[in-house]
Amino acid sequence: MTTSVNDETLREEVRQWLSENWAREIADELESEAPTHYTASPALRSWLGKVFDARWSAPRWPEEWFGRGLSNDQAKIVEREFAKVKAPGTGQDRVNLWANTLLAQGQPGLKEKLVGPLLKSEVNMCLLYSEPGAGSDLAGIRTRADLQGDEYIVNGQKVWTSGATTADYGMLIARTDWDVPKHDGISFFFCPMKQPGVEVRPLRQITDESHFNEVFLSNAVVPAENLLGKPGSGWRVLNTALAYERSVMGETARGSRGGTGLGLGAVTEAQPLIALAREAGRLDEPHLRQQVAQTISYRRLNALNTARAKADLAQGTSSSIMSLGKLAMSRILHEEARLRTEILGAESMLEGEDYPQAVDANFLSLNAYFTSIGGGTDQIQRNIIGERVLGLPKEPEVDKTIAFRDVKTGVGSG
Amino acid sequence: MNTLGSEERDALKDSVRRLMSDASTEAAVRTVMETDTGYDAAVWKTLGEMGVVGLMVDEEHGGSGFGPLELEAVMEEAGAALLCSPLLASGVLAAELLNQLGDEALNERLLPRIATGDCIASVVLTGDSGCWTQQGVAVSAKQDGDSWVLQGRGSYVLHGQNAEVLVVVAKTDDGFAAFEVDPSAPSVTVAPLPTFDRTLRLASVDFDDARAVQVEARQPVWQAVKRTLDLALVALAGQQVGGTQKVLDFTVEYAKARVQFGRNIGSFQAIKHMAADLLLETESAISAARYAASCLAESSEKADEAISLAAFACADAYVKTTADSIQMHGGIAFTWEHPAHLYLRAARSSAQLFGGSNHHRENYLTAMGG
Ligand SMILES: Cc1cc2nc3c(=O)[nH]c(=O)nc-3n(C[C@H](O)[C@H](O)[C@H](O)COP(=O)(O)OP(=O)(O)OC[C@H]3O[C@@H](n4cnc5c(N)ncnc54)[C@H](O)[C@@H]3O)c2cc1C
């Protein structure tokens, strides 16, 4: 059931609710806890629980799925009110990759079990896509899933799996049919991570952190009801999920080392590059001023593109601009980090708590690759833009029509 | 100010596009750009009748009374078609400076004729430095009894050779003042400047103790100039993104059609990736131009920032797109007969017209408090 409500009443209701529930202390608590990238802190969970109970988590969704059946425009009213007080948790019907994928493609039982907890960040997730032999060419995966009774038995290896150590489920792609061409034999699952058949080995990253992992799947068990879409239609499910992930990566990125990526990080300075140059006493150097202005403009233009894309979507025209965001963000992050380094100069050779700006510049320089490689490299993004948006012809694909059994993948098999 | 809803604005844009597809075809542009005046009088008349020339003139003076959003939209079409016309000179710069100065008697006399296109007016502001700043003004005015005399040289005057009236910004002992000048008067010498972009018309104007009538101003003259330049930058940004989009479109079409090594060149990543990067530049420039127009229409406090951003983002995107387009076409685009160089010329010149990108980046940073 969807009751219609007028804009003013709705706005008043959100404001009222926020004024009764959102307090500065919660904001402080959320910030001080510095949650990691992949799990929500207890304070955040408890806040998300309140948002959920009040049906603000996914206001566009129907009541059956914890929403209010609001139109896009009305949902934006809700989002705007939350944003005004910097409260997280609403608009998940747009940005929650996991819940959106599950709601669109999942079987009733699994949806019943997980959609709610996902909106409350009570379950942690990871992406089991990439393999040693299949990165950009994801359709070349060799992890297999074989149906036995009402369970799939999974064997293979995943790699670069961010957040796997804390995950309860992984969105998994595995091959269920080896006798059809590579894109046709893949299926998509919610794979339970806490089980003997799943072994997670952390990898040390260039940032000296350890967010991504190797995941070994040895007779791991996935209930058949955890299959999303139909057997063999995993490539399509994957592409919807990837599009989500990429559009989110085009709008947000992790700031400093302690940052959360959940859009909660304290943004104290509107233009950190100006502040940095001023602090370094270099804001009057003409060549730096040019670079600062140019670099700030990249972020600004991306925000304007995103706003225009959303306005287009609201009017019903599909937006090709959306697919540009991730490529834009990758330039933004690399250029901002490069400029920070240039402003700092020699100090960027130093590390440690006495040199927080050097730590930031160096961390950001390295972590920019998260966006330019993760979720599909810049080169793959350019292929996608060229082919799907501009309609340029694809490269000849030598392995598109042959049975996957006969396809070569990975390193040095040529 | 009349602000149209987005559907009506699209309709206005469409009507201009239809006119362009008739009247400003590539063949027409090539003919008109080689004439002395550099515009087609019949097309100019039609633009006047459609209300396009008088877009920025208020209704009470016979214009359409529209604002920056409508102007930006129309200029996108003009830019896409490389329209050769005094629209920017007369309909934007001169009309807006007169609006801003607000000399009622003068406006009643001039604006209705500017709005129909019957009178072409232009603005003399910068000198040989080409800087559209206070320092760039190279004409000075001295009072002589009841009247004024002008001395010095204005340059880069848009369609100066076609103007019936010049509005001249000059330095006086008490700051800046504006003057109405008849270009055919003795002691005024208008000389066309040879232009790299042949769709553009520029002139120099020398004043050797030329008599001039002061224009009354209801706000400080430089403030009126600044507001006029804001609007001109929005118009130019619109023109630039129109051109950028058009060049990207025909370049992508060519990449789909041209075959080498047995396949379309657009399937080569070296070409495809250039095209993808150009799409990002183009869409970003469109966002910037439209955002600047909306900030100016709303007199937002972000207007300075938004206009400076659009000024360099749109200019740079246009230059990059046109330059890369030639590379992506290969030899065919090195021929005079191919349109790519017409756009490259327009892009390179428009990127200098009201100050270069470094100048606008500097203003952008200053506007953000840096
Ligand atoms: C920080 C980080 C976090 C990640 N998190 C996850 C995760 O949680 N889950 C997950 O599944 N994966 C994750 N990934 C993996 C990521 O998706 C892959 O690394 C990425 O898709 C590239 O695959 P690859 O590393 O195998 O490189 P390759 O595909 O081998 O690419 C090597 C180079 O070849 C280029 N290349 C390849 N194919 C083409 C082509 N067709 N055209 C042009 N150039 C091409 C690439 O652009 C790249 O420069 C993460 C990666 C990083 C860096």
Side-chain angles (χ1 to χ4, degrees):
Chain A
M1 181 201 64
T2 303
T3 42
S4 64
V5 45
N6 83 31
D7 293 1
E8 234 3 88
T9 319
L10 176 67
R11 189 173 295 119
E12 213 26 66
E13 189 188 345
V14 196
R15 279 193 190 153
Q16 181 69 26
W17 187 84
L18 282 168
S19 76
E20 282 163 14
N21 291 279
W22 176 249
R24 191 61 241 170
E25 301 83 76
I26 308 185
D28 291 345
E29 209 181 321
L30 291 186
E31 253 161 41
S32 69
E33 283 193 14
T36 68
H37 211 36
Y38 303 96
T39 58
S41 66
L44 179 58
R45 278 188 193 185
S46 121
W47 168 250
L48 292 175
K50 286 189 190 171
V51 176
F52 178 85
D53 291 340
R55 295 185 169 273
W56 297 125
S57 306
R60 290 170 186 82
W61 288 355
E63 297 203 1
E64 179 194 0
W65 294 111
F66 320 110
R68 292 168 172 250
L70 294 186
S71 68
N72 189 45
D73 284 346
Q74 289 202 323
K76 277 199 223 156
I77 295 178
V78 179
E79 288 179 23
R80 232 170 280 137
E81 293 304 319
F82 269 67
K84 268 190 207 157
V85 298
K86 298 206 165 71
T90 191
Q92 295 194 53
D93 39 21
R94 273 198 310 112
V95 298
N96 189 320
L97 164 68
W98 328 103
N100 276 288
T101 309
L102 178 59
L103 189 67
Q105 308 281 351
Q107 300 178 39
L110 192 67
K111 291 206 277 196
E112 211 64 64
K113 185 167 151 194
L114 288 180
V115 170
L118 283 171
L119 292 176
K120 294 184 267 187
S121 288
E122 286 173 357
V123 289
N124 297 318
M125 298 289 302
C126 67
L127 296 170
L128 297 166
Y129 299 162
S130 306
E131 297 180 5
S136 301
D137 182 16
L138 265 185
I141 52 161
R142 292 186 165 272
T143 292
R144 62 185 308 139
D146 298 295
L147 187 61
Q148 288 179 15
D150 53 7
E151 291 172 343
Y152 283 91
I153 305 301
V154 182
N155 284 284
Q157 189 200 331
K158 296 290 172 177
V159 73
W160 325 129
T161 315
S162 304
T165 49
T166 47
D168 300 303
Y169 291 88
M171 294 211 295
L172 164 76
I173 49 170
R175 192 164 299 281
T176 44
D177 188 346
W178 297 70
D179 297 317
V180 291
K182 59 198 266 196
H183 296 93
D184 301 335
I186 296 171
S187 300
F188 196 107
F189 303 93
F190 263 52
C191 171
M193 294 293 285
K194 309 275 192 245
Q195 59 165 308
V198 175
E199 189 200 342
V200 178
R201 291 188 205 151
L203 293 164
R204 185 175 176 187
Q205 303 174 178
I206 58 175
T207 54
D208 210 3
E209 299 167 307
S210 209
H211 291 158
F212 66 23
N213 307 273
E214 293 176 296
V215 177
F216 296 88
L217 301 154
S218 321
N219 292 325
V221 177
V222 179
E225 76 157 9
N226 288 21
L227 173 74
L228 273 67
K230 297 204 164 36
S233 73
W235 186 250
R236 228 175 333 170
V237 182
L238 172 73
N239 273 292
T240 319
L242 280 176
Y244 251 115
E245 186 186 351
R246 288 166 179 164
S247 75
V248 172
M249 287 178 87
E251 284 186 59
T252 52
R254 203 170 147 211
S256 62
R257 185 172 282 267
T260 63
L262 289 165
L264 297 170
V267 181
T268 40
E269 174 64 44
Q271 291 301 353
L273 288 171
I274 295 178
L276 192 66
R278 184 177 281 133
E279 234 173 279
R282 301 187 60 187
L283 191 54
D284 56 354
E285 291 178 26
H287 80 280
L288 264 189
R289 294 180 64 77
Q290 288 291 315
Q291 294 184 52
V292 170
Q294 184 69 44
T295 306
I296 291 174
S297 80
Y298 291 141
R299 194 176 273 276
R300 190 82 191 98
L301 291 169
N302 189 42
L304 291 175
N305 276 346
T306 306
R308 189 155 66 88
K310 284 183 184 159
D312 279 359
L313 287 175
Q315 284 178 12
T317 32
S318 79
S319 182
S320 58
I321 314 171
M322 218 61 200
S323 52
L324 297 169
K326 184 170 178 288
L327 187 59
M329 185 56 82
S330 136
R331 172 165 76 175
I332 291 165
L333 297 174
H334 280 286
E335 280 300 297
E336 286 179 350
R338 185 195 61 73
L339 185 52
R340 274 173 184 266
T341 309
E342 166 148 357
I343 292 170
L344 289 181
E347 193 184 318
S348 69
M349 292 187 287
L350 306 178
E351 275 204 328
E353 60 188 22
D354 290 341
Y355 305 100
Q357 289 166 343
V359 168
D360 273 356
N362 290 326
F363 170 76
L364 291 169
S365 301
L366 299 174
N367 206 56
Y369 291 103
F370 179 88
T371 299
S372 61
I373 297 177
T377 66
D378 283 358
Q379 288 68 39
I380 294 299
Q381 277 310 104
R382 288 189 177 94
N383 284 347
I384 291 172
I385 294 165
E387 288 160 18
R388 301 202 197 144
V389 182
L390 294 173
L392 293 169
K394 286 174 85 76
E395 299 250 13
E397 283 172 275
V398 293
D399 57 358
K400 192 166 169 82
T401 51
I402 46 180
F404 185 74
R405 273 188 200 295
D406 306 321
V407 167
K408 75 183 175 194
T409 53
V411 180
S413 48
Chain B
M1 188 171 82
N2 286 330
T3 302
L4 295 179
S6 67
E7 275 173 28
E8 296 162 294
R9 195 159 62 232
D10 288 347
L12 171 68
K13 199 167 184 268
D14 281 347
S15 68
V16 177
R17 182 184 308 143
R18 279 195 301 277
L19 176 67
M20 295 297 114
S21 67
D22 241 24
S24 187
T25 58
E26 186 189 333
V29 169
R30 285 178 184 274
T31 307
V32 176
M33 74 182 193
E34 300 300 347
T35 62
D36 285 344
T37 61
Y39 73 99
D40 178 329
V43 176
W44 181 243
K45 189 152 179 284
T46 311
L47 285 167
E49 286 161 4
M50 283 175 69
V52 169
V53 181
L55 218 53
M56 305 314 297
V57 175
D58 54 30
E59 284 169 306
E60 134 196 12
H61 292 112
S64 324
F66 289 135
L69 286 164
E70 292 74 24
L71 177 64
E72 192 278 336
V74 165
M75 294 307 281
E76 285 188 20
E77 296 304 329
L82 288 175
L83 173 69
C84 304
S85 89
L87 186 56
L88 193 55
S90 195
V92 181
L93 273 178
E96 183 65 8
L97 185 54
L98 291 172
N99 286 338
Q100 291 293 342
L101 291 168
D103 181 329
E104 220 8 78
L106 179 65
N107 288 358
E108 264 172 40
R109 176 159 55 84
L110 278 184
L111 285 177
R113 295 186 54 236
I114 290 179
T116 57
D118 184 31
C119 165
I120 292 173
S122 192
V123 171
V124 179
L125 187 91
T126 188
D128 284 331
S129 72
C131 294
W132 295 73
T133 57
Q134 298 194 352
Q135 293 73 34
V137 175
V139 177
S140 52
K142 284 224 167 357
Q143 199 147 15
D144 178 21
D146 278 352
S147 67
W148 290 79
V149 288
L150 303 185
Q151 180 69 42
R153 176 179 167 84
S155 195
Y156 303 104
V157 181
L158 273 167
H159 282 261
Q161 55 272 63
N162 297 316
E164 175 190 321
V165 178
L166 294 171
V167 183
V168 182
V169 177
K171 284 181 183 149
T172 73
D173 291 339
D174 318 307
F176 291 92
F179 300 88
E180 180 194 0
V181 172
D182 174 357
S184 64
S187 335
V188 180
T189 313
V190 178
L193 294 167
T195 48
F196 171 70
D197 168 12
R198 301 205 182 181
T199 68
L200 181 69
R201 285 297 175 275
L202 295 173
S204 63
V205 185
D206 285 287
F207 303 92
D208 189 9
D209 284 337
R211 302 247 150 230
V213 183
Q214 186 174 14
V215 181
E216 274 177 34
R218 55 155 194 233
Q219 61 176 322
V221 167
W222 194 261
Q223 191 172 307
V225 168
K226 155 90 174 56
R227 294 194 167 149
T228 304
L229 283 178
D230 282 350
L231 185 73
L233 284 169
V234 166
L236 189 64
Q239 189 175 315
Q240 289 167 328
V241 301
T244 307
Q245 176 81 64
K246 171 78 185 214
V247 172
L248 178 62
D249 288 349
F250 71 61
T251 306
V252 168
E253 281 318 304
Y254 187 72
K256 289 179 192 170
R258 170 76 174 164
V259 175
Q260 287 292 283
F261 298 95
R263 52 182 171 124
N264 299 100
I265 58 166
S267 69
F268 297 119
Q269 291 190 349
I271 298 295
K272 186 180 290 171
H273 289 190
M274 281 173 99
D277 286 337
L278 291 183
L279 182 68
L280 177 56
E281 298 302 325
T282 304
E283 293 293 357
S284 302
I286 294 172
S287 297
R290 295 183 186 170
Y291 175 66
S294 80
C295 285
L296 189 60
E298 291 161 11
S299 309
S300 149
E301 56 182 25
K302 292 266 184 211
D304 279 347
E305 193 182 309
I307 292 167
S308 301
L309 173 64
F312 71 84
C314 301
D316 293 351
Y318 198 11
V319 171
K320 180 173 170 53
T321 304
T322 50
D324 283 1
S325 167
I326 293 183
Q327 186 65 29
M328 291 161 79
H329 277 87
I332 187 75
F334 200 69
T335 62
W336 186 266
E337 287 70 25
H338 195 280
H341 77 109
L342 300 181
Y343 285 93
L344 178 65
R345 286 164 186 269
R348 285 174 46 89
S349 295
S350 73
Q352 302 299 331
L353 187 56
F354 298 134
S357 288
N358 286 356
H359 168 74
H360 296 299
R361 263 188 293 271
E362 177 59 42
N363 287 349
Y364 178 56
L365 193 60
T366 308
M368 284 185 297

